[in-house]
Amino acid sequence: MSQLHLRRLQTPLLGPVDLDVRDGECVCLSGPSGSGKSLLLRAVADLDPHDGEAYLDDVACSTLDATQWRRHVGLLAADSHWWWPTVGEHFPPGCGPDLQALGFRPETTGWSVERMSTGERQRLALLRLLCNQPQALLLDEPTANLDAESTLRVEQLIHDYRRRHQAAVLWVSHDTAQIHRVADRVLRLEGGVVHEAQAA
């Protein structure tokens, strides 16, 4: 069980942000395009320079190596990166990703990365992230390129993961129906400021 805490987290374009995401809680973040939602996730993941601090329970981000922090606080970016020729090479040794949960067959690990669609990359990037068993998830529109069936599969997988691991989840979404389905709490980012909101 882990809680995510942001204290006066600030970048040149947003903040300061104070936020607590409880263990097992899914907090959805909405707001206009360009309002800084992705920038906030990147700052929390320690990918972009920022002031203030992020904590996982009582462990401060600044006390850990960036790679170590991102192993515990996992970011699923809107555009995933793939470095090696085949899908399976991107999964850690000993990880058996739940391919079936997202509609894939076992032979998917042998696929060439070049043959994957955007939606396939998005779903497989989520499975790759979960193999690290992060204690908190930062999700940047994880279903933006997916059809309705695949979207529901991803939502169910994330729900099961956070319940099983009591992981804190901060989920960026523009989809009002999705927010209703997955969120325990809704925040809105406008003008660089995060405030409580209601799902419309």
Side-chain angles (χ1 to χ4, degrees):
M1 299 197 307
S2 298
Q3 301 187 42
L4 183 66
H5 308 288
L6 309 183
R7 295 292 178 263
R8 307 293 293 176
L9 196 75
Q10 188 169 2
T11 76
L13 297 177
L14 67 96
V17 175
D18 289 285
L19 173 62
D20 297 295
V21 184
R22 300 186 301 273
D23 49 271
E25 183 182 29
C26 180
V27 174
C28 277
L29 181 64
S30 66
S33 296
S35 59
K37 300 180 296 298
S38 297
L39 293 177
L40 176 60
L41 295 191
R42 287 180 60 84
V44 177
D46 201 25
L47 284 167
D48 289 345
H50 61 272
D51 294 322
E53 189 64 272
Y55 297 86
L56 191 63
D57 291 330
D58 58 353
V59 178
C61 171
S62 60
T63 66
L64 297 179
D65 173 84
T67 302
Q68 187 178 13
W69 173 258
R70 288 193 285 272
R71 191 173 296 120
H72 296 296
V73 180
L75 170 65
L76 183 67
D79 297 310
S80 60
H81 295 285
W82 300 81
W83 305 275
W84 294 290
T86 65
V87 170
E89 292 175 277
H90 293 83
F91 287 88
C95 172
D98 191 359
L99 295 166
Q100 186 175 0
L102 295 188
F104 293 107
R105 296 180 179 274
E107 57 265 29
T108 302
T109 56
W111 282 3
S112 165
V113 167
E114 292 182 352
R115 64 145 284 180
M116 291 195 295
S117 69
T118 301
E120 288 168 341
R121 287 174 185 244
Q122 197 166 27
R123 286 181 287 155
L124 287 165
L126 173 61
L127 290 173
R128 181 178 67 186
L129 178 69
L130 296 184
C131 273
N132 293 324
Q133 297 193 338
Q135 296 161 270
L137 296 175
L138 309 173
L139 307 175
D140 194 353
E141 297 193 72
T143 62
N145 300 302
L146 305 183
D147 59 31
E149 180 182 354
S150 295
T151 292
L152 292 177
R153 283 177 178 266
V154 166
E155 290 174 0
Q156 186 63 52
L157 180 66
I158 294 168
H159 173 83
D160 293 344
Y161 182 88
R162 72 181 176 98
R163 292 301 188 194
R164 186 166 64 251
H165 295 274
Q166 286 297 288
V169 178
L170 184 58
W171 184 326
V172 169
S173 178
H174 288 287
D175 185 337
T176 301
Q178 179 174 78
I179 291 171
H180 273 292
R181 290 193 299 267
V182 305
D184 296 311
R185 188 156 50 101
V186 183
L187 302 176
R188 188 165 178 84
L189 177 59
E190 287 186 278
V193 178
V194 173
H195 57 85
E196 298 282 342
Q198 296 293 325

